[in-house]
Amino acid sequence: MHPNKKLLHRAIEIAQNAREHGNHPFGALLADAEGNILLEAENTVNTERDATGHAETNLMRLASKKFTPEELQACTLYTSTEPCPMCSGAIFWGDVGCVVYALSEEGLYEITGKTPYELALPCREVFARGTHPVEVIGPLLEDEARQVHLGFWKE
């Protein structure tokens, strides 16, 4: 199995854990250049009562405290769903060099339907406006990544 897919499977597992813990089903992890997992984080919006508690933002808070910008440039952030604009900003400001995601923003909105919190701005567009590059790979494993969302957003 390709390393990207193996690590994305883990990000989807983290998303399932977030859901089981009462949060939105999103998960992320940080891996070094060899594919070793350095950190993991899940969504904590509900349990922490923090609208900024997205998995990727939580991960970047941890990563920024633990690693230098130079170390983060060599890392890849794997996430169960394409990062939102807020999370994309955190990834950019945190200097992570690459993002790999499973479910696209468009795929997520197909599941959730219209919500008052839709902010349709793909991560590639956010990163394209930055002053340093962030490589983006995805969507990958969309069918698998969808599963963790089914039944969560609409009853």
Side-chain angles (χ1 to χ4, degrees):
M1 180 182 296
H2 190 280
N4 283 345
K5 291 184 179 178
K6 179 182 176 200
L7 292 168
L8 279 177
H9 280 289
R10 179 62 193 143
I12 294 166
E13 289 173 3
I14 297 166
Q16 180 63 44
N17 292 342
R19 182 174 178 167
E20 290 169 4
H21 295 141
N23 290 294
H24 302 142
F26 300 100
L29 65 87
L30 187 70
D32 66 16
E34 288 76 42
N36 299 306
I37 297 173
L38 304 174
L39 294 170
E40 297 181 345
E42 60 187 55
N43 182 289
T44 58
V45 167
N46 293 336
T47 55
E48 296 294 323
R49 297 176 49 112
D50 177 2
T52 68
H54 293 195
E56 300 90 344
T57 300
N58 287 340
L59 185 69
M60 290 312 304
R61 283 187 192 110
L62 296 170
S64 295
K65 291 176 184 174
K66 188 167 183 171
F67 301 105
T68 67
E70 295 77 24
E71 290 171 318
L72 289 170
Q73 288 168 6
C75 290
T76 299
L77 187 149
Y78 291 84
T79 182
S80 61
T81 305
E82 181 174 358
C84 74
M86 176 185 70
C87 293
S88 296
I91 293 164
F92 176 81
W93 294 118
D95 285 314
V96 170
C98 182
V99 172
V100 180
Y101 66 87
L103 180 62
S104 67
E105 171 189 83
E106 183 178 290
L108 175 65
Y109 288 144
E110 287 172 5
I111 296 166
T112 64
K114 286 288 184 193
T115 74
Y117 299 103
E118 185 174 319
L119 186 55
L121 182 59
C123 69
R124 281 182 174 86
E125 290 184 35
V126 175
F127 297 139
R129 299 201 176 240
T131 55
H132 65 265
V134 178
E135 181 182 4
V136 178
I137 301 169
L140 304 171
L141 304 177
E142 282 201 284
D143 290 339
E144 293 171 51
R146 263 188 195 92
Q147 297 306 308
V148 74
H149 292 277
L150 296 180
F152 181 84
W153 302 100
K154 296 185 226 177
E155 294 301 323

